[in-house]
Amino acid sequence: MTDTAPRPTLEAVAARAGVSRATVSRVVNGGDGVRDVLVERVRKAVDELGYVPNQAARSLVTRRHDAVAVVVAEPETRVFADPFFALQLRGISKELTAHDNQLVLLLTEGRDDHARVGRYLAGGHVDGALVFSLHLDDPLPELIQRAGVPTVFGGRPGWSGDRRDVVYVDSDNRGGARDAVRHLAGLGRTRIAHITGALDQTSAADRLDGYRDVMVDADPRLIAEADFTPAGGERAMRELLERCPDVDAVFAANDLTAAGALRVLRARGRRVPDDVAVIGFDDMRPVAEQTDPPLTTVRQDIEEMGRLMARLLLRGLDRDAPREGVGAIPSSVVLPTTLVRRESA
Amino acid sequence: MTDTAPRPTLEAVAARAGVSRATVSRVVNGGDGVRDVLVERVRKAVDELGYVPNQAARSLVTRRHDAVAVVVAEPETRVFADPFFALQLRGISKELTAHDNQLVLLLTEGRDDHARVGRYLAGGHVDGALVFSLHLDDPLPELIQRAGVPTVFGGRPGWSGDRRDVVYVDSDNRGGARDAVRHLAGLGRTRIAHITGALDQTSAADRLDGYRDVMVDADPRLIAEADFTPAGGERAMRELLERCPDVDAVFAANDLTAAGALRVLRARGRRVPDDVAVIGFDDMRPVAEQTDPPLTTVRQDIEEMGRLMARLLLRGLDRDAPREGVGAIPSSVVLPTTLVRRESA
DNA sequence: CGAGCGCACGAGAGCGCTCTCACCACGCTG
DNA sequence: CAGCGTGGTGAGAGCGCTCTCGTGCGCTCG
């Protein structure tokens, strides 16, 4: 745990290269409008001195930080239960890194933290924020929106319906759900059940809507509420078997839930897919490929969602970006899903 | 994606409160040596103006950033496969938040990124770093160490054996492994196998050492190499059953691996724990409680490890901290493990 | 051949803060 | 009553950088 040595400044580089501070600054920032000879000289001095720009000094004048906050509300709930968030984070990280931006991670725990996050964002420490708002009633998104920080949301925020200035990236949950249910119907199944996700999340609500789109007058008893967890899936599957012993297909809100359902089905001696066909959602490989039988599921490209969030945000942040035409003001993106057929349906 | 409004400066607050900049600064930073009347007046002005200190300006002079980098090498490998890292991150986040430090997340992907991370850390953007070095041959830790940034490692780095200046937080992998194997022996098992983790990670190597400590002259065929994944666990378990059909107990390097092993055992008609007793490592609740039967495992407090890493780092960073006596120079910490008995052994 | 222009560079201000130091008004001691 | 702390406050320098502006130079063109 050694302390850092004093670092060379622009001044020092300038002195060594025999030019002015301004010229060094120009070179460091791209070198436009400087003669090649001088560029070379400055570069050499930079290398020899091991000069690294002081970001604080730079930010002070540019008012840019080249840093983006990633806000994750209430990690206890879901985030750390499945790799979903980790994958998005990875996508975000890749994109930010590619554009020399830093990722400041803000995990919030409970209401008190909201104020803290709000203060931090309003404090102008970062250029923008990527926000994962998991719950419909979460006050955080609005709070952030009001802080005036450019923001892209991960997943459609619950209250965004009529707000055109809200930018988010989401999967086509509803469409994917429709595909899944149609596929089950195409298999000749008629008693198709749905195990929902946590319905205070738009993704779960949208998937339920998709289910209903196809099953227009479905028996309401075919819908069992769960929470995206394996345990919830087990519980819901047991309910379902109780209420509707004749169920012949299940569309689960995600793979984890489907895995729980599969366990119950096996325990009750129902064969999958022969007696009951099962479809999940996410295509979380480690889960979907490991179930018995391997899970047919609706694939969404989670890492790509993260990457896209970051890309939209950075584009919105770019001062040089065109304010008109293609890709001007970023607008929300809904990514398509694809059905991945394995053996469970 | 609105832009931020111009924010009030210290100057503005000073003017409004009718004091000097210096006084406002003093109040904002604790208010020592300022009369209560003035403190009040300044506080009021701060509130009314919604003043938030400009961190860049502050860092420029203090040379502190109140930010810590969390470096995760090669996330593809393991990090995103199990919730292990997410839990540590949560612990880290809590501790950093409690001390008003920001968490800058650096995910590296391949060798090129190492240079980038090295440059970033050497660039003095953060006060310290928390590093997860997963592989024995990873050049990153040394690189960071040389960058002169105060660092605490998550897990014992492979090359740290003789370096006293390396600070890390780890679980007592070896001791935990010994406990597990002794427990199996105590159950009367004699053909106790071990499915290793990825042996290029110290945690896996240490657990193997612990196994060997107890099984001093174990049949080498009882050791099967895997990689901390469920699929690896399945593969290793199949090998084991092939090589030593008389195996009556398995100590798996982690819960995920154990879950894989359990699946194979069931498929082969071996009863657990009657025919084969199984113990995992981690006590990853969602995994260990969901297996069939629920998994006996070695518990390590992962979140606490993260919290501790952050605490050690911050303590080392604290200029006011005592340089002598208890808690002076932080030294590595090895956390104890506990055996959690469920039904698999 | 001189006026004009553009390009390359340097001078200098200033971003918002902290921190040292000088100052002043007390109250105390001798 | 002079002298001397002492504690509270303000003035001002300066952290390392960017960016605007002005200057000098070489070039073109009338």
Side-chain angles (χ1 to χ4, degrees):
Chain A
M1 312 243 310
T2 3
D3 277 329
T4 52
R7 293 193 294 117
T9 73
L10 251 202
E11 191 79 49
V13 178
R16 184 175 193 103
V19 296
S20 73
R21 250 179 16 249
T23 299
V24 178
S25 177
R26 277 187 272 259
V27 172
V28 169
N29 293 294
D32 298 339
V34 179
R35 276 179 307 156
D36 292 356
V37 219
L38 287 195
V39 171
E40 261 328 295
R41 258 204 348 247
V42 171
R43 291 249 162 84
K44 189 153 160 285
V46 165
D47 282 351
E48 288 169 355
L49 262 43
Y51 170 76
V52 183
N54 180 321
Q55 185 60 40
R58 182 179 274 175
S59 293
L60 184 55
V61 27
T62 59
R63 277 129 201 296
R64 270 196 137 265
H65 299 85
D66 294 319
V68 167
V70 173
V71 183
V72 184
E74 308 183 31
E76 63 272 342
T77 320
R78 175 185 169 188
V79 165
F80 290 99
D82 68 37
F84 189 92
F85 170 68
L87 280 169
Q88 293 210 46
L89 199 55
R90 194 168 144 197
I92 290 171
S93 167
K94 280 186 181 170
E95 188 71 20
L96 290 182
T97 296
H99 292 84
D100 279 318
N101 268 258
Q102 294 311 318
L103 191 171
V104 178
L105 189 64
L106 263 37
L107 305 179
T108 79
E109 210 103 21
R111 303 268 149 156
D112 301 348
D113 270 13
H114 287 164
R116 177 179 61 84
V117 170
R119 233 179 303 124
Y120 181 75
L121 294 178
H125 304 269
V126 290
D127 300 327
L130 298 173
V131 179
F132 294 89
S133 101
L134 300 170
H135 302 289
L136 280 178
D137 60 346
D138 194 335
L140 194 58
E142 290 232 52
L143 202 150
I144 290 167
Q145 194 79 3
R146 257 183 290 127
V149 186
T151 301
V152 173
F153 292 92
R156 181 170 63 81
W159 43 270
S160 68
D162 52 342
R163 309 253 331 234
R164 310 214 47 226
D165 57 339
V166 171
V167 180
Y168 63 86
V169 173
D170 206 349
S171 277
D172 183 10
N173 289 303
R174 190 163 181 166
R178 277 197 296 259
D179 290 347
V181 180
R182 282 204 197 100
H183 174 72
L184 292 170
L187 259 30
R189 310 292 165 141
T190 53
R191 298 290 287 165
I192 304 174
H194 178 43
I195 301 179
T196 74
L199 287 175
D200 62 341
Q201 299 176 25
T202 55
S203 59
D206 290 352
R207 288 170 201 178
L208 173 57
D209 285 345
Y211 167 84
R212 285 195 171 124
D213 287 345
V214 181
M215 304 290 287
V216 268
D217 34 34
D219 183 344
R221 289 174 309 162
L222 283 171
I223 298 174
E225 199 169 328
D227 56 1
F228 285 127
T229 68
E234 292 185 1
R235 206 178 320 112
M237 193 66 238
R238 274 191 290 263
E239 278 176 37
L240 242 23
L241 287 172
E242 191 100 350
R243 287 205 297 250
C244 313
D246 60 340
V247 60
D248 60 6
V250 176
F251 164 51
N254 71 345
D255 290 350
L256 255 22
T257 302
L262 285 177
R263 270 199 294 269
V264 170
L265 286 169
R266 188 179 45 228
R268 300 292 171 91
R270 307 279 184 128
R271 290 168 306 159
V272 176
D274 314 85
D275 301 333
V276 182
V278 176
I279 288 193
F281 205 110
D282 280 351
D283 192 26
M284 205 71 70
R285 290 276 165 65
V287 177
E289 290 176 350
Q290 297 294 323
T291 55
D292 178 23
L295 196 62
T296 293
T297 188
V298 179
R299 179 170 191 3
Q300 50 178 343
D301 192 340
I302 301 170
E303 189 174 326
E304 176 62 18
M305 287 176 68
R307 203 159 13 209
L308 201 53
M309 286 177 69
R311 203 173 304 153
L312 287 185
L313 183 63
L314 292 178
R315 194 179 297 161
L317 258 32
D318 190 354
R319 291 161 168 174
D320 309 328
R323 298 278 109 181
E324 303 285 336
V326 181
I329 293 144
S331 59
S332 299
V333 175
V334 175
L335 292 172
T337 59
T338 54
L339 192 69
V340 177
R341 290 209 53 182
R342 293 202 180 86
E343 295 167 33
S344 69
Chain B
M1 312 240 313
T2 4
D3 275 329
T4 52
R7 293 193 294 115
T9 73
L10 252 202
E11 192 78 51
V13 177
R16 184 174 193 104
V19 297
S20 72
R21 254 185 7 256
T23 298
V24 178
S25 178
R26 277 187 271 260
V27 172
V28 169
N29 292 294
D32 299 338
V34 180
R35 275 179 309 156
D36 293 355
V37 217
L38 288 195
V39 171
E40 261 329 295
R41 255 201 353 245
V42 170
R43 290 249 162 84
K44 190 154 160 285
V46 165
D47 282 351
E48 289 169 356
L49 262 43
Y51 169 76
V52 184
N54 180 321
Q55 185 59 41
R58 181 180 274 176
S59 294
L60 184 55
V61 26
T62 60
R63 276 126 201 299
R64 270 196 137 265
H65 299 85
D66 295 319
V68 167
V70 173
V71 183
V72 183
E74 309 185 29
E76 63 272 342
T77 321
R78 174 187 170 189
V79 165
F80 289 99
D82 68 39
F84 189 92
F85 170 68
L87 279 169
Q88 294 210 45
L89 200 55
R90 195 168 145 198
I92 290 171
S93 167
K94 280 185 182 170
E95 188 70 20
L96 290 182
T97 296
H99 292 85
D100 278 318
N101 268 258
Q102 294 312 319
L103 191 169
V104 177
L105 189 63
L106 264 37
L107 304 179
T108 79
E109 209 103 20
R111 303 270 149 157
D112 301 347
D113 270 14
H114 287 164
R116 177 178 61 86
V117 170
R119 234 178 303 124
Y120 181 75
L121 293 179
H125 303 269
V126 291
D127 301 326
L130 297 174
V131 178
F132 294 88
S133 101
L134 299 170
H135 300 289
L136 280 178
D137 60 346
D138 194 336
L140 194 58
E142 289 231 53
L143 201 150
I144 290 167
Q145 193 81 3
R146 257 183 290 128
V149 186
T151 301
V152 172
F153 291 93
R156 180 170 63 81
W159 44 270
S160 70
D162 52 342
R163 310 254 329 233
R164 310 213 49 226
D165 57 339
V166 171
V167 180
Y168 63 87
V169 173
D170 206 351
S171 277
D172 182 10
N173 289 305
R174 190 164 183 166
R178 276 196 298 256
D179 290 347
V181 179
R182 282 204 198 101
H183 175 72
L184 291 170
L187 259 29
R189 311 292 166 140
T190 53
R191 298 291 286 166
I192 304 174
H194 177 42
I195 301 179
T196 74
L199 287 175
D200 62 340
Q201 298 175 28
T202 54
S203 59
D206 290 352
R207 288 170 201 178
L208 174 56
D209 285 344
Y211 167 83
R212 285 195 171 125
D213 287 344
V214 181
M215 305 290 288
V216 267
D217 34 34
D219 183 344
R221 289 174 308 163
L222 283 170
I223 298 173
E225 199 170 329
D227 56 1
F228 285 127
T229 68
E234 292 186 1
R235 207 178 320 111
M237 192 66 237
R238 274 191 289 265
E239 277 178 36
L240 241 23
L241 287 172
E242 191 100 350
R243 286 205 297 251
C244 313
D246 60 340
V247 60
D248 60 5
V250 176
F251 164 51
N254 72 345
D255 290 350
L256 255 23
T257 303
L262 284 177
R263 269 199 295 270
V264 169
L265 286 169
R266 188 179 46 229
R268 300 292 171 92
R270 306 279 183 128
R271 291 168 307 159
V272 177
D274 313 84
D275 301 332
V276 182
V278 176
I279 288 192
F281 206 110
D282 281 352
D283 192 26
M284 205 73 67
R285 289 276 165 66
V287 178
E289 290 175 349
Q290 296 295 325
T291 55
D292 179 22
L295 197 62
T296 293
T297 187
V298 179
R299 179 169 191 5
Q300 49 178 345
D301 191 340
I302 301 169
E303 190 174 324
E304 176 62 19
M305 287 175 68
R307 204 158 15 210
L308 200 53
M309 286 177 68
R311 203 173 304 153
L312 287 185
L313 183 63
L314 292 178
R315 194 179 297 160
L317 259 31
D318 190 354
R319 292 160 168 174
D320 309 329
R323 298 279 108 182
E324 303 285 336
V326 180
I329 294 144
S331 60
S332 298
V333 175
V334 176
L335 292 171
T337 60
T338 54
L339 192 70
V340 177
R341 291 210 52 183
R342 292 202 180 85
E343 294 167 34
S344 69

